[in-house]
């Protein structure tokens, strides 16, 4: 467990999250400051058509820890992840959803276990309030990846903290949610270990998740094929 101050870059991807972004970021900042974590928050507006970008601009004016990036069109959470990673300056890198589905304490609990050779992730098995269809897709996705790579990861899409230098040396390609599995698998193959923690998923308070949109589901399965069949992985 790490005792010194942790330096953390946090990607907050946001697509049409005007109802959630402000509260999510302010709650996250308050908790990070209370925990004495050295941090920067990289909000990436992914071509939103509502007031998300204006809200993000307002947050940036208030909080010097915030960096703001904008995509002209919606290109996917994986591209947001890579945009933030390319502009990150801290020792460790992670992401945090703009919808407020995860509690900040989940991320802070993960911080306690970070190390330069360890990635730390959280799963929500048996503590997940989301709809059954999403749970079924998630379990299928996890099982296929574990069989393909002979792993026992419980969940690939949770909050994960990586050593930044490790991620920046990986060639990440996925544009959608596959970026998280790609990052974990390639990080493990780079020689890092992974610590898995269990934490209840709070669930979003406003709006509707985009994870089950037709576009997202199709991209997820396309990226599953890429990761299991096409993706080069160093041994």
């Amino acid at each position: 467990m790490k005792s010194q101050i942790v330096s953390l870059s946090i990607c907050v991807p946001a697509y049409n999250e005007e109802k959630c972004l402000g509260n999510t970021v302010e709650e996250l900042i308050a908790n990070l400051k209370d925990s004495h974590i050295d941090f920067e928050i990289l909000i990436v507006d992914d071509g939103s058509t509502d007031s998300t970008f204006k809200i993000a601009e307002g947050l940036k004016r208030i909080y010097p820890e915030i960096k703001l990036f904008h995509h002209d069109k919606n290109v996917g959470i994986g591209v947001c992840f890579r945009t933030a990673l390319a502009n990150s300056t801290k020792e460790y890198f992670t992401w945090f959803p703009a919808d407020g589905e995860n509690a900040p304490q989940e991320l802070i609990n993960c911080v306690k276990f970070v190390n330069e050779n360890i990635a730390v992730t959280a799963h929500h098995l048996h503590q997940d309030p989301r709809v059954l269809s999403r749970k079924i897709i998630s379990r299928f996705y996890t099982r296929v990846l574990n069989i393909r790579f002979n792993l026992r990861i419980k969940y690939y899409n949770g909050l994960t903290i990586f050593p930044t230098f490790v991620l920046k040396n990986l060639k990440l390609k996925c544009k959608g949610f596959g970026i998280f599995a790609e990052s974990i698998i390639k990080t493990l193959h780079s020689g890092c270990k992974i610590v898995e923690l269990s934490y209840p998923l709070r669930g979003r308070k406003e709006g509707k998740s985009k994870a089950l949109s037709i576009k997202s589901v199709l991209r997820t399965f396309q990226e599953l094929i890429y990761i299991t069949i096409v993706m080069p992985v160093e041994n």
Side-chain angles (χ1 to χ4, degrees), residues 31-224:
N31 278 266
L32 289 166
K33 287 184 175 180
D34 286 345
S35 300
H36 306 291
I37 294 170
D38 173 32
F39 68 94
E40 63 181 1
I41 293 179
L42 301 97
I43 300 175
V44 186
D45 173 59
D46 196 26
S48 296
T49 56
D50 62 3
S51 300
T52 296
F53 186 67
K54 289 183 178 179
I55 292 169
E57 286 182 314
L59 291 167
K60 185 177 183 298
R61 284 193 291 269
I62 298 170
Y63 300 104
E65 298 89 355
I66 291 177
K67 297 179 180 179
L68 178 58
F69 305 90
H70 174 71
H71 295 156
D72 291 334
K73 61 180 181 179
N74 180 237
V75 287
I77 194 169
V79 182
C80 293
F81 187 92
R82 290 177 1 224
T83 295
L85 177 62
N87 291 279
S88 63
T89 64
K90 303 299 184 181
E91 186 178 4
Y92 296 94
F93 183 88
T94 189
W95 74 289
F96 196 87
D99 59 15
E101 189 172 58
N102 301 76
Q105 192 59 46
E106 178 181 344
L107 184 62
I108 290 165
N109 285 348
C110 289
V111 167
K112 298 173 184 177
F113 294 87
V114 296
N115 184 280
E116 61 182 8
N117 295 312
I118 292 176
V120 185
T121 190
H123 68 82
H124 316 106
L125 298 185
H126 312 301
Q127 304 174 89
D128 187 348
R130 294 175 296 187
V131 296
L132 180 61
S133 57
R134 185 165 179 181
K135 294 179 186 178
I136 291 171
I137 292 172
S138 177
R139 288 170 186 170
F140 171 79
Y141 181 83
T142 301
R143 182 163 178 77
V144 170
L145 290 170
N146 281 341
I147 291 172
R148 166 64 180 85
F149 294 101
N150 193 29
L151 297 171
R152 294 184 179 180
I153 301 297
K154 294 181 176 66
Y155 186 59
Y156 283 91
N157 289 347
L159 302 182
T160 305
I161 302 177
F162 301 90
T164 303
F165 80 94
V166 173
L167 276 189
K168 287 193 173 185
N169 284 325
L170 302 178
K171 294 180 180 179
L172 301 175
K173 300 292 185 183
C174 288
K175 295 182 178 181
F177 285 92
I179 192 76
F180 305 122
E182 182 185 15
S183 297
I184 288 173
I185 292 165
K186 287 185 174 180
T187 294
L188 285 170
H189 279 259
S190 77
C192 282
K193 296 180 180 179
I194 191 161
V195 172
E196 288 189 276
L197 307 177
S198 176
Y199 203 86
L201 188 65
R202 179 167 64 180
R204 61 185 297 148
K205 298 177 182 179
E206 298 281 353
K208 184 179 180 181
S209 173
K210 290 109 182 148
L212 289 180
S213 69
I214 294 174
K215 179 180 178 181
S216 291
V217 172
L218 288 176
R219 176 176 276 176
T220 295
F221 280 101
Q222 289 170 350
E223 292 184 340
L224 181 61

